[in-house]
Coordinates of all heavy atoms in Angstrom, one line a residue:
A790 N 47.2 355.3 43.6 CA 48.4 355.7 42.8 C 48.3 355.1 41.4 O 47.7 354.1 41.2 CB 49.6 355.1 43.5
M791 N 48.8 355.9 40.5 CA 48.8 355.5 39.1 C 50.2 355.4 38.6 O 51.0 356.3 38.7 CB 48.0 356.5 38.2 CG 47.8 356.0 36.8 SD 47.0 357.3 35.7 CE 45.5 357.6 36.6
N792 N 50.6 354.2 38.0 CA 52.0 354.0 37.5 C 52.0 352.8 36.6 O 51.0 352.1 36.4 CB 52.9 353.8 38.7 CG 54.2 354.6 38.5 OD1 54.9 354.4 37.5 ND2 54.6 355.4 39.5
D793 N 53.2 352.6 36.1 CA 53.4 351.4 35.2 C 54.0 350.3 36.1 O 55.2 350.2 36.4 CB 54.5 351.7 34.1 CG 54.7 350.5 33.2 OD1 54.0 349.5 33.4 OD2 55.7 350.6 32.4
V794 N 53.1 349.4 36.6 CA 53.5 348.4 37.5 C 53.8 347.1 36.8 O 54.7 346.3 37.2 CB 52.3 348.1 38.5 CG1 52.7 346.9 39.5 CG2 52.0 349.4 39.3
D795 N 53.2 346.8 35.6 CA 53.4 345.5 34.9 C 54.5 345.7 33.9 O 54.8 344.7 33.2 CB 52.1 345.0 34.3 CG 51.5 345.9 33.2 OD1 52.1 347.0 33.0 OD2 50.5 345.5 32.6
G796 N 55.1 346.9 33.7 CA 56.2 347.0 32.8 C 55.8 347.1 31.3 O 56.7 346.8 30.4
D797 N 54.6 347.5 30.9 CA 54.2 347.5 29.5 C 54.5 348.9 28.9 O 54.1 349.2 27.8 CB 52.8 347.2 29.3 CG 51.8 348.1 30.0 OD1 52.2 349.1 30.7 OD2 50.6 348.0 29.8
G798 N 55.1 349.8 29.7 CA 55.5 351.1 29.2 C 54.4 352.2 29.4 O 54.6 353.4 28.9
L799 N 53.3 351.9 30.0 CA 52.2 352.8 30.2 C 51.8 352.9 31.6 O 51.9 351.9 32.4 CB 50.9 352.4 29.4 CG 51.0 352.4 27.8 CD1 49.8 351.8 27.2 CD2 51.2 353.9 27.3
A800 N 51.4 354.1 32.1 CA 51.0 354.3 33.5 C 49.5 353.9 33.6 O 48.6 354.7 33.9 CB 51.1 355.8 33.8
N801 N 49.3 352.6 33.4 CA 47.9 352.1 33.3 C 47.6 351.0 34.4 O 46.8 350.2 34.2 CB 47.6 351.5 31.9 CG 48.6 350.4 31.5 OD1 49.5 350.0 32.3 ND2 48.5 349.9 30.3
D802 N 48.3 351.2 35.5 CA 48.0 350.3 36.6 C 47.7 351.2 37.9 O 48.4 352.2 38.1 CB 49.2 349.4 36.9 CG 49.6 348.6 35.7 OD1 48.8 347.7 35.3 OD2 50.7 348.8 35.2
L803 N 46.8 350.7 38.7 CA 46.4 351.5 39.8 C 46.7 350.6 41.1 O 46.5 349.4 41.1 CB 44.9 351.8 39.8 CG 44.4 352.6 38.6 CD1 42.8 352.7 38.7 CD2 45.0 354.0 38.7
C804 N 47.1 351.3 42.1 CA 47.3 350.7 43.4 C 46.3 351.5 44.4 O 46.5 352.6 44.7 CB 48.7 350.9 44.0 SG 49.0 350.0 45.5
V805 N 45.2 350.7 44.7 CA 44.1 351.3 45.5 C 44.1 350.9 46.9 O 44.1 349.7 47.2 CB 42.8 351.0 44.8 CG1 41.6 351.6 45.5 CG2 42.7 351.4 43.3
T806 N 44.1 351.8 47.8 CA 43.9 351.5 49.3 C 42.4 351.8 49.6 O 42.0 352.9 49.5 CB 44.8 352.4 50.1 OG1 46.1 352.4 49.6 CG2 44.8 351.9 51.6
D807 N 41.7 350.7 49.9 CA 40.2 350.8 50.1 C 39.8 350.4 51.5 O 39.9 349.3 51.9 CB 39.6 349.8 49.1 CG 38.1 350.0 49.0 OD1 37.5 350.6 49.9 OD2 37.5 349.5 48.0
P808 N 39.4 351.4 52.3 CA 39.0 351.1 53.7 C 37.8 350.3 53.8 O 37.6 349.7 54.9 CB 38.8 352.5 54.3 CG 38.5 353.4 53.1 CD 39.3 352.9 51.9
R809 N 37.0 350.1 52.8 CA 35.8 349.3 52.8 C 36.2 347.8 53.0 O 35.5 347.0 53.6 CB 35.0 349.4 51.6 CG 34.4 350.8 51.4 CD 33.7 350.9 50.0 NE 34.6 350.5 48.9 CZ 34.2 350.2 47.7 NH1 32.9 350.3 47.4 NH2 35.0 349.9 46.8
I810 N 37.4 347.4 52.5 CA 37.9 346.1 52.7 C 39.2 346.0 53.4 O 39.7 344.9 53.6 CB 37.9 345.3 51.3 CG1 38.8 346.1 50.3 CG2 36.5 345.2 50.7 CD1 39.0 345.4 49.0
D811 N 39.8 347.1 53.7 CA 41.1 347.2 54.3 C 42.1 346.4 53.6 O 42.9 345.6 54.2 CB 41.1 346.8 55.8 CG 40.8 348.0 56.7 OD1 40.9 349.1 56.2 OD2 40.4 347.8 57.9
Q812 N 42.1 346.5 52.3 CA 43.1 345.8 51.4 C 43.8 346.8 50.5 O 43.2 347.9 50.2 CB 42.4 344.7 50.5 CG 41.7 343.6 51.3 CD 42.6 342.7 52.0 OE1 43.7 342.5 51.5 NE2 42.3 342.2 53.2
V813 N 44.9 346.4 49.9 CA 45.6 347.2 48.9 C 45.5 346.4 47.6 O 46.0 345.3 47.5 CB 47.1 347.4 49.3 CG1 47.8 348.2 48.2 CG2 47.2 348.0 50.7
V814 N 44.8 347.0 46.7 CA 44.4 346.4 45.4 C 45.2 346.9 44.2 O 45.4 348.1 44.1 CB 42.9 346.5 45.2 CG1 42.5 346.0 43.8 CG2 42.1 345.8 46.3
I815 N 45.7 346.0 43.4 CA 46.3 346.3 42.1 C 45.3 346.0 41.0 O 44.8 344.8 41.0 CB 47.6 345.5 41.9 CG1 48.6 345.7 43.1 CG2 48.3 346.0 40.6 CD1 48.9 347.1 43.4
T816 N 45.0 347.0 40.2 CA 44.0 346.8 39.2 C 44.4 347.6 38.0 O 44.9 348.7 38.1 CB 42.6 347.1 39.7 OG1 41.6 346.9 38.7 CG2 42.6 348.6 40.1
P817 N 44.0 347.1 36.7 CA 44.3 347.9 35.5 C 43.4 349.1 35.4 O 42.2 349.1 35.9 CB 44.1 346.9 34.4 CG 43.2 345.9 34.9 CD 43.5 345.8 36.4
T818 N 43.8 350.2 34.8 CA 43.0 351.3 34.5 C 41.9 350.9 33.5 O 42.1 350.0 32.7 CB 43.7 352.5 34.0 OG1 44.4 352.1 32.8 CG2 44.7 353.0 35.0

């Protein structure tokens, strides 16, 4: 998913569901 998670006004944050580690990761674009 791509959205503004940190509130800086840009859709530059990713929420990645990765089956290789079975984790939900928040990471900048």
Side-chain angles (χ1 to χ4, degrees):
M791 188 186 303
N792 221 305
D793 179 9
V794 179
D795 65 354
D797 68 353
L799 293 172
N801 57 3
D802 304 295
L803 301 174
C804 186
V805 181
T806 311
D807 191 343
R809 298 174 304 166
I810 56 177
D811 271 346
Q812 299 290 328
V813 182
V814 171
I815 309 301
T816 183
T818 57

